[in-house]
Amino acid sequence: DIAVVQYDPQRRPPQSALNLLSTSNADSMRSLFAVLPANLSMTDLVEQVIRLEHNQRTFRLMVMPLQISELSYYLALADDVTPFERAMAAHRWQIIGVGLVVFVLLAVIIYILIFRLGYRLQRLSRFLPLLEQRQFQQFRERSYSQPWLFRDDIDTLQTAAIALSHELERLHHQVERNTQELENIAMFDLLTGLPNRNMLQYHLKKQLSAMERQSATV
């Protein structure tokens, strides 16, 4: 809507100081002037675009000077921006909705990644006692898992644990061989390969211990 208005600075407030001279919609313009804030000056009307709410609709009121004199004349333009305001509000809600969906999806993805990393770490730690029990092959079979899309720190830790199991198994076999060799050196003659005095003493002590247990039970 458009209107030519006359402003009388002697009258207060601005709503009553504005006199409609010519307008495309008198009822609409009068109702908009009636809801103008009481503390609004004519300078504010000219320098600002005023946003007004009336009958559940939104308007933008712009006032431009035509003639500045004792009784000033102004051109008032009122634009119904309700559809635009509603479209903007719907757009804002769409942005908020999309943001919430993206936030929830990211939170779910992060939770899945963290849960998977924690689960794999717990799974690896659960099978570590197998190394202490010298069940190296069982440890490798149970702790190994295929990398998921890309290698991460848990895959590196798993590879290091499997390599450690191989090294521990090698050392275990080496210790067993060395122990067997030391027992052979201690219990058998190096030249003839026959049992020596240590072997005799070992079997004597074993027999004496067995006889003592038998006499204790009689």
Side-chain angles (χ1 to χ4, degrees), residues 50-163:
I50 309 302
R51 183 178 182 274
L52 300 173
E53 297 283 347
H54 181 63
N55 291 336
Q56 298 182 349
R57 302 191 69 83
T58 304
F59 296 87
R60 297 293 177 92
L61 179 64
M62 182 172 60
V63 177
M64 297 178 294
L66 294 178
Q67 180 184 352
I68 306 299
S69 61
E70 184 177 351
L71 295 178
S72 302
Y73 296 91
Y74 295 89
L75 180 65
L77 302 174
D79 186 17
D80 186 355
V81 295
T82 304
F84 175 77
E85 291 276 344
R86 291 175 179 174
M88 287 294 296
H91 183 63
R92 284 194 295 268
W93 280 111
Q94 289 177 357
I95 293 176
I96 293 173
V98 171
L100 287 175
V101 170
V102 171
F103 174 78
V104 171
L105 288 177
L106 287 177
V108 170
I109 292 173
I110 292 173
Y111 174 77
I112 291 174
L113 291 176
I114 293 177
F115 175 79
R116 183 176 182 274
L117 291 175
Y119 170 77
R120 292 170 61 205
L121 188 60
Q122 290 179 357
R123 183 172 178 270
L124 182 60
S125 63
R126 189 167 64 248
F127 296 132
L128 283 176
L130 294 175
L131 295 178
E132 182 184 359
Q133 300 167 10
R134 299 184 180 86
Q135 300 179 18
F136 305 107
Q137 185 61 33
Q138 291 86 336
F139 170 79
R140 289 191 288 268
E141 291 175 353
R142 296 183 182 181
S143 63
Y144 178 75
S145 61
Q146 285 290 118
W148 185 54
L149 296 180
F150 54 88
R151 290 183 60 84
D152 52 22
D153 294 340
I154 304 300
D155 293 319
T156 304
L157 180 61
Q158 177 181 276
T159 302
I162 291 176

